[in-house]
Amino acid sequence: MLILGIETSCDETAASIVRNGTEVLSNVIASSLDLHRQTGGVVPEVAAREHLRQISPVIDRALSDASATWLDVDVIAVTHAPGLVAALLVGVNTAQTLAYIHQKPLIPVHHVSGHIYANFIDRKEDPRFPILILTVSGGHNELVLMKGHHDFEVIGETLDDAAGEAFDKVARMLNLGFPGGPVIAKTAIEGRPDAYAFPRAQLDKDNRFNFSFSGLKSAVLREVKLLEEPSEKQIADLAAGFQMAVVDVLSDKLIAAAEAHDVSEIHLAGGVSANLLLREVTRQKLPENISLIYPKNLIYCTDNAAMIAASGYFLFQRHPNTDWDWKDVIVQASSRLT
Ligand code: KG4
Ligand code: ZN
């Protein structure tokens, strides 16, 4: 079965053709990131305009890269939430129109479920449910227990910022540019992770699987203000200290939750799963009986449409008889996975 996935929730206009939920035949991404670098963050209206400009060529290219025609496409899957509403509307409206013209079922996909299914791309072995997933990006930060395909329970979430958002904000404080994750990781290579004693918010017993990064963010800001004009070395130390604190919190909570829920497989997903220190530290702390999976290809960590097609495929398998009606697709800025 061939699924056409469409993703426009933030600043990537993406389309992909995926066979049977795991085999990627094409994966096209047009990013408006360069425009947002100038403003230090994504401006929703600019992102929406760029989606409008890019969406048709990107879909055409996804079909041609896969050597597919509309006759080959069985189902269209589109991200409907959460994200920037103006941006989501472009993808959803396009998908609705194409589904109507070509008479294809249209499946609404939750963006976070897309990130989760990025780890099912190219997967050969059967999943060992329940799986615990730490899914972290600029817009979300959750611990999700996946009991079966599209059977999710959110067992932890952030009480304030998502970790990716904290990376982006701290990068701005340090004048490092946007997006913050990759540039902080790069700057941190020259820094000492223990140069600053930044807080690791473990929170009380009721919140032990929830996250909070606002205290850490304020602590970095305090140090930046004290330094007035920090040197390159000081900036590297601040980046390294901040990154280490985020990674410690994410990995500690992930492993504690894995042990509490007796899972044998944990996954990292979302933009922050591209962080090499997070992967490394999680692996070091992991008990032997638990295996760690993350997207092997960095392209599947950040926003893409292959993950949306993969999620759509498994949703379609779980609800094959649902009358997926394009009128049911609801666009929402924020929406919980469950
Ligand atoms: O999944 P994504 O492309 O978009 C959202 O759904 O938000 O994730 C983007 C986020 C940004 O906040 C970015 O700073 C972060 O992922 N990110 C990283 C890394 N690469 C991207 N954070 C830490 N380390 C990285 N290497
Ligand atoms: Zn995302």
Side-chain angles (χ1 to χ4, degrees):
M1 170 179 278
L2 289 198
I3 311 258
L4 165 67
I6 298 175
E7 154 67 37
T8 64
S9 68
C10 191
D11 56 341
E12 270 91 21
T13 316
S16 167
I17 303 279
V18 175
R19 181 182 283 137
N20 297 336
T22 59
E23 188 190 346
V24 179
L25 304 187
S26 66
N27 186 28
V28 182
I29 304 173
S31 176
S32 55
L33 190 58
D34 282 343
L35 292 175
H36 306 300
R37 276 191 229 282
Q38 296 160 21
T39 40
V42 179
V43 179
E45 202 174 303
V46 174
R49 283 210 186 108
E50 282 304 298
H51 286 312
L52 210 48
R53 229 165 50 81
Q54 300 282 4
I55 188 89
S56 295
V58 163
I59 292 172
D60 285 350
R61 179 75 190 274
L63 285 166
S64 68
D65 281 4
S67 303
T69 69
W70 279 106
L71 291 176
D72 303 315
V73 173
D74 297 294
V75 173
I76 302 174
V78 64
T79 308
H80 71 100
L84 306 170
V85 168
L88 287 164
L89 279 171
V90 178
V92 170
N93 203 355
T94 307
Q96 286 176 341
T97 308
L98 292 170
Y100 181 72
I101 293 171
H102 298 287
Q103 289 297 294
K104 309 286 179 189
L106 174 61
I107 303 184
V109 171
H110 192 281
H111 183 77
V112 177
S113 85
H115 278 299
I116 289 172
Y117 274 96
N119 280 315
F120 287 78
I121 291 170
D122 288 336
R123 185 177 172 131
K124 304 278 182 298
E125 67 279 16
D126 287 335
R128 287 175 292 157
F129 295 118
I131 295 170
L132 184 71
I133 300 135
L134 173 70
T135 174
V136 199
S137 76
H140 65 272
N141 195 134
E142 282 155 11
L143 277 170
V144 178
L145 196 60
M146 184 180 190
K147 299 168 200 161
H149 281 297
H150 279 280
D151 183 1
F152 302 121
E153 185 190 344
V154 176
I155 61 163
E157 60 197 339
T158 183
L159 304 177
D160 38 59
D161 285 354
E165 192 179 358
F167 268 97
D168 295 337
K169 288 178 177 167
V170 167
R172 208 169 302 143
M173 288 174 205
L174 300 176
N175 275 325
L176 291 174
F178 177 81
V183 74
I184 289 213
K186 192 162 165 247
T187 309
I189 293 171
E190 303 298 327
R192 279 180 40 217
D194 57 354
Y196 294 92
F198 286 136
R200 277 108 169 114
Q202 296 300 340
L203 307 179
D204 58 26
K205 200 164 154 280
D206 290 344
N207 283 300
R208 70 191 174 120
F209 298 142
N210 288 334
F211 302 86
S212 167
F213 295 105
S214 59
L216 171 60
K217 224 175 45 189
S218 307
V220 178
L221 185 61
R222 252 192 321 272
E223 294 297 339
V224 173
K225 284 190 170 155
L226 282 176
L227 291 171
E228 284 176 22
E229 285 214 18
S231 66
E232 262 184 39
K233 176 74 183 114
Q234 285 167 326
I235 289 179
D237 284 346
L238 287 163
F242 163 76
Q243 178 179 237
M244 196 67 237
V246 173
V247 164
D248 271 344
V249 170
L250 292 176
S251 55
D252 284 348
K253 290 193 178 243
L254 171 60
I255 288 163
E259 287 175 336
H261 289 272
D262 203 17
V263 303
S264 52
E265 193 173 314
I266 61 175
H267 293 187
L268 303 177
V272 180
S273 70
N275 189 279
L276 298 182
L277 187 71
L278 175 63
R279 294 173 173 197
E280 191 45 44
V281 168
T282 307
R283 187 184 302 289
Q284 282 165 11
K285 291 179 181 170
L286 207 59
E288 262 174 26
N289 56 332
I290 303 180
S291 55
L292 171 66
I293 291 179
Y294 44 75
K296 283 160 209 74
N297 189 333
L298 285 185
I299 202 114
Y300 298 134
C301 295
T302 45
D303 291 349
N304 66 89
M307 68 184 198
I308 302 303
S311 174
Y313 171 81
F314 287 101
L315 192 57
F316 193 73
Q317 297 301 306
R318 197 174 150 96
H319 302 283
N321 299 320
T322 303
D323 183 16
W324 297 100
D325 189 331
W326 59 267
K327 292 193 287 303
D328 292 338
V329 179
I330 298 164
V331 172
Q332 278 172 299
S334 62
S335 146
R336 281 192 101 222
L337 183 61
T338 52

